[in-house]
Amino acid sequence: MDVQRGQWSSRMGFIFAAAGSAVGLGNIWKFPYITGENGGGVFVLIYLVCIIAVGIPIMVAELLLGQGSKQSPVGAFEHFHKKGSSWGLVGWLGVASGFVILSYYSVVAGWAMHYVKLSLQGFTNLDTETIGNTFSGLYGSATQNMFWHTVFMSVTIMVVIGGVKKGIEKTCNILMPLLFLLLLFLVGRAVFLPNDGFMKAVDFIFMPHFEKLTPHGILEALGHAFFTLSLGMGAMLTYGSYLKSRKEVLKSSIAVSLLDTVIALLACLMIFPVIFAFGYEAEAGPGLVFKTIPIVFSQIAGGQILSVFFFLLLTFAALSSAISLLEVVTATFIDKLDWRRNKAALISGIVIFVFGIPSALSGSGKIFGAWADIFGKNFFDSMDYLASNWMLPIGGLLTAIYVGWVMPKEKLEYFFGAEFYPAWIFKVFYLLIRFFSPVLVLIVLLYKIDFI
Ligand code: TRP
């Protein structure tokens, strides 16, 4: 069996792939706009607490389940309990989350690709209002959304068909360094923006104003910690299953979480200076990077090339994440149904594509137009809400309970071998995964159903 299963070719290869999964639209599109909506500094602080106290322990839990079982989520949850155990259902919940997330993720990735094209054509000759309206135009266009949704899903499917080493690892090895360079370049450029834009941004992001703290902000920070680290649905678990050595589990979890956080903060340092330098609103919501950024780039020297870079960056980040979402579903079909990789990736990719069509058409109000009247959110927003606020936290909670309470302690300790880590590290982890992480997630979930 091991011969057939993929494996990363090196530690670096794995780090790039896992960081590629973690760093995505969540970091560059979503984190800045929810930070803006929730008042900046204090939200960032809560988010950092969530990453350390909940994110890292659950990332360790997922990677060790994968590494220890060498299986995709369903098999992994059965592995440390018993075959056919109902814990396998947690794995299936993860597969379902993969479907839901990728279906709308691809739509946003499609917007990024459309903006690469628009930037290449140049925004420079257009007036501010026209550029601002471009996003509404795209959002409302069924044809354009469908076109880019198709392109993006096709590329994602092709990478996953390529396999663990030749598809995923190779792609991430190219995309991740490129992404980092582009980001550093754009942050560097932001430092020199007029009107003290950069310093205002630093202040906004790092100065906590506690009066801006809301219960909603706390919930969103926790949900986002899951989303941004790709936790709660077995994506990290699946990547962990291609990992050679148990020694990598803890180190890699910390490295990947750190990279992801640094990149999210850098993304804010790239976007907010632009917003503040030109007097735009930080609370612009999902349109923040698509409306405001192009307007500003159209006004500064060299803006066109910056704009091309920016949306390329967004596209790369989205692609390396999307392949991890598709890989979970694909790996499960390979392991559980004995399908060949081509077949598994193609069929699951097509089903996800079809499921994404209502999201792609959400802005245009075509089919499922009545959805918003019934549920109060359009289909696209409903899927994001369902996944980030419910499916991932529930998946993460069950993962923590499984690793902290169901899995035998000796099996867990094995990943923290005395050969490579001092004993206190395991003790801290054990405390976090048994009590702290699950209790925190539970409180948040109970709060959401108005129980407390
Ligand atoms: N982490 C990615 C982002 O920040 C999205 C993502 C990829 C994801 N794989 C995932 C989210 C698995 C949850 C679960 O954009």
Side-chain angles (χ1 to χ4, degrees):
M1 190 186 89
D2 269 3
V3 186
Q4 274 207 342
R5 269 191 83 78
Q7 205 172 54
W8 308 112
S9 50
S10 67
R11 176 176 146 78
M12 270 320 270
F14 166 70
I15 298 274
F16 276 142
S21 166
V23 175
L25 296 170
N27 301 60
I28 299 165
W29 167 68
K30 202 168 171 190
F31 184 64
Y33 93 70
I34 57 179
T35 299
E37 284 179 340
N38 289 290
V42 72
F43 178 79
V44 173
L45 191 71
I46 304 277
Y47 162 81
L48 291 176
V49 172
C50 293
I51 294 282
I52 294 171
V54 183
I56 296 182
I58 294 185
M59 168 105 63
V60 173
E62 281 205 21
L63 286 185
L64 69 81
L65 284 176
Q67 205 285 326
S69 66
K70 295 263 180 247
Q71 291 193 51
S72 46
V74 180
F77 275 96
E78 293 171 344
H79 182 84
F80 292 102
H81 191 222
K82 55 179 190 280
K83 196 158 169 52
S85 137
S86 40
W87 279 102
L89 289 176
V90 181
W92 287 113
L93 175 72
V95 174
S97 311
F99 265 90
V100 173
I101 298 176
L102 185 51
S103 75
Y104 72 84
Y105 203 81
S106 165
V107 176
V108 183
W111 299 343
M113 292 168 92
H114 184 69
Y115 271 81
V116 173
K117 179 181 151 236
L118 291 179
S119 310
L120 284 169
Q121 292 167 344
F123 282 114
T124 26
N125 299 324
L126 304 173
D127 61 88
T128 312
E129 202 172 314
T130 318
I131 302 174
N133 290 338
T134 309
F135 182 69
S136 334
L138 167 64
Y139 187 60
S141 159
T143 342
Q144 281 174 345
N145 274 292
M146 280 306 294
F147 174 75
W148 292 111
H149 177 49
T150 314
V151 173
F152 186 78
M153 279 308 297
S154 310
V155 177
T156 307
I157 293 171
M158 278 178 333
V159 174
V160 173
I161 285 180
V164 176
K165 259 189 214 144
K166 294 211 182 91
I168 302 174
E169 187 177 330
K170 220 165 136 190
T171 311
C172 291
N173 273 340
I174 302 169
L175 293 187
M176 290 313 289
L178 215 55
L179 182 146
F180 203 65
L181 285 178
L182 285 175
L183 189 60
L184 282 183
F185 177 76
L186 290 170
V187 173
R189 178 64 184 84
V191 174
F192 300 103
L193 287 171
N195 301 326
D196 242 0
F198 193 78
M199 284 325 288
K200 283 184 193 147
V202 169
D203 195 67
F204 181 72
I205 301 162
F206 295 108
M207 284 300 289
H209 292 284
F210 286 94
E211 72 282 1
K212 290 188 180 162
L213 186 62
T214 60
H216 172 80
I218 301 176
L219 302 188
E220 193 144 65
L222 186 81
H224 188 68
F226 276 104
F227 188 85
T228 192
L229 293 179
S230 302
L231 299 176
M233 59 151 281
M236 286 298 165
L237 187 158
T238 307
Y239 274 17
S241 75
Y242 309 131
L243 200 54
K244 250 180 263 175
S245 150
R246 70 190 151 113
K247 195 171 119 189
E248 305 298 335
V249 168
L250 180 65
K251 279 197 274 183
S252 311
S253 305
I254 294 174
V256 171
S257 308
L258 204 70
L259 270 174
D260 185 77
T261 306
V262 167
I263 292 183
L265 293 175
L266 282 175
C268 284
L269 284 177
M270 151 180 83
I271 290 164
F272 286 116
V274 174
I275 308 283
F276 293 132
F278 294 90
Y280 287 96
E281 290 298 315
E283 302 89 24
L288 189 69
V289 307
F290 292 106
K291 279 188 223 160
T292 319
I293 292 281
I295 293 182
V296 175
F297 281 156
S298 72
Q299 295 172 356
I300 57 182
Q304 181 175 4
I305 190 74
L306 294 178
S307 177
V308 174
F309 281 0
F310 177 81
F311 289 106
L312 268 181
L313 169 85
L314 201 56
T315 307
F316 292 165
L319 179 62
S320 61
S321 297
I323 54 189
S324 76
L325 290 161
L326 185 58
E327 177 63 17
V328 174
V329 185
T330 304
T332 305
F333 286 174
I334 295 175
D335 290 346
K336 287 285 142 188
L337 305 178
D338 268 334
W339 283 5
R340 293 213 331 276
R341 176 168 278 274
N342 306 0
K343 180 175 161 191
L346 191 65
I347 294 187
S348 43
I350 291 176
V351 175
I352 292 170
F353 167 78
V354 172
F355 188 62
I357 293 177
S359 286
L361 300 181
S362 272
S364 67
K366 294 229 168 69
I367 71 162
F368 284 72
W371 184 279
D373 304 333
I374 306 169
F375 295 99
K377 289 184 170 58
N378 66 25
F379 191 84
F380 171 91
D381 293 328
S382 305
M383 292 302 112
D384 187 23
Y385 175 77
L386 178 70
S388 314
N389 287 278
W390 294 103
M391 298 175 89
L392 298 179
I394 291 175
L397 173 65
L398 293 169
T399 306
I401 293 175
Y402 183 80
V403 169
W405 297 89
V406 177
M407 212 173 137
K409 192 174 173 197
E410 325 74 73
K411 290 207 174 151
L412 203 54
E413 258 175 323
Y414 177 69
F415 293 91
F416 295 78
E419 317 87 281
F420 24 88
Y421 299 113
W424 65 268
I425 293 195
F426 177 71
K427 293 208 178 96
V428 172
F429 169 74
Y430 203 51
L431 212 68
L432 288 173
I433 203 72
R434 263 168 91 85
F435 301 104
F436 201 85
S437 317
V439 168
L440 209 71
V441 180
L442 197 65
I443 292 177
V444 166
L445 286 171
L446 289 176
Y447 187 89
K448 268 195 274 211
I449 52 175
D450 274 337
F451 197 76
I452 46 176

